[in-house]
Amino acid sequence: MANTSRINGFRPVKHITGAPYNGQANLYYVASAADEILVGDVVKLGGSADAYGNPSADLASAGDVPVGVVVGVLHSKFDPAGGLTTGSTALDLPAQAQIAASGSGYILVADSPDIIMEAEAANGTPQVTDIGLNISHANGARTAATVTSPAYIDFGTEATTATLNFSLRGFVQSPKNEIGASAKMLVGFNRHQFKSGSDTTGTGNFGAVGL
């Protein structure tokens, strides 16, 4: 039975040790989003901070060094000082599911470099022989109406190249997931903003540990 394609970005599921991911995340500020940002998106550091000193982030492309994946988009009126900002607000989708393109707001980011994530393979067909290779992601097409992340593992980019952002760890073990097109796969960060030493620039990866 063929897999059904349901692309919805990157979802943390565990750590490299095998310990389950239990929701840890840190607050980041989006000053002016390069494109719509949603839960499941891969983000990078934005190079600045908000007025309270919270670091900024923005959507990461395949060539950027990731800082993590978005696990929450906070209400548009969220204020780190503990209140809500003034003015009107929208309570419906898609407004509350995304930071709009060129918009600002706050997101929660799973930014530990050792997390293992589940994501769908697209733009090619994965095989068992791909496990252990590095690979890029693609952000996918998004609009003001998008409510789930269109980011996916970009097959066709898999290689031993050290500067690719993710490493392929395995296939999600589920009766509903088979090896082939649109498979759900497990990936870890090959490059990450908070990996120490040469790993920050992508010269090393985690290898096959923690599949």
Side-chain angles (χ1 to χ4, degrees):
M1 180 177 177
N3 296 313
T4 299
S5 178
R6 293 190 178 91
I7 295 174
N8 58 3
F10 289 69
R11 182 174 66 89
V13 292
K14 62 179 179 178
H15 293 270
I16 194 172
T17 61
Y21 171 74
N22 61 8
Q24 302 100 323
N26 286 303
L27 183 68
Y28 285 78
Y29 174 63
V30 177
S32 180
D35 208 338
E36 286 83 8
I37 296 177
L38 303 104
V39 169
D41 280 340
V42 182
V43 291
K44 63 179 179 178
L45 286 181
S48 60
D50 68 1
Y52 305 99
N54 294 299
S56 65
D58 202 354
L59 192 67
S61 67
D64 295 320
V65 178
V67 72
V69 295
V70 180
V71 294
V73 175
L74 299 186
H75 190 277
S76 60
K77 294 301 178 182
F78 171 78
D79 181 358
L84 293 175
T85 57
T86 60
S88 61
T89 185
L91 299 177
D92 300 324
L93 297 175
Q96 292 308 317
Q98 62 172 239
I99 303 291
S102 300
S104 62
Y106 288 90
I107 54 177
L108 295 174
V109 177
D111 57 4
S112 174
D114 76 334
I115 55 173
I116 304 298
M117 297 150 284
E118 176 182 313
E120 185 170 316
N123 199 31
T125 303
Q127 306 293 331
V128 293
T129 51
D130 294 319
I131 305 306
L133 294 177
N134 298 327
I135 199 164
S136 292
H137 78 287
N139 287 322
R142 54 194 65 211
T143 70
T146 307
V147 296
T148 58
S149 171
Y152 58 88
I153 307 166
D154 189 9
F155 265 82
T157 68
E158 71 275 15
T160 57
T161 308
T163 52
L164 297 174
N165 281 343
F166 295 94
S167 59
L168 293 165
R169 306 305 180 85
F171 289 82
V172 172
Q173 300 301 299
S174 168
K176 298 180 180 179
N177 190 54
E178 67 176 29
I179 296 169
S182 300
K184 293 288 188 180
M185 300 192 71
L186 298 175
V187 297
F189 286 111
N190 181 49
R191 292 204 304 167
H192 190 281
Q193 187 68 44
F194 300 146
K195 289 176 74 174
S196 62
S198 61
D199 284 346
T200 304
T201 56
T203 57
N205 62 49
F206 290 126
V209 178
L211 284 178

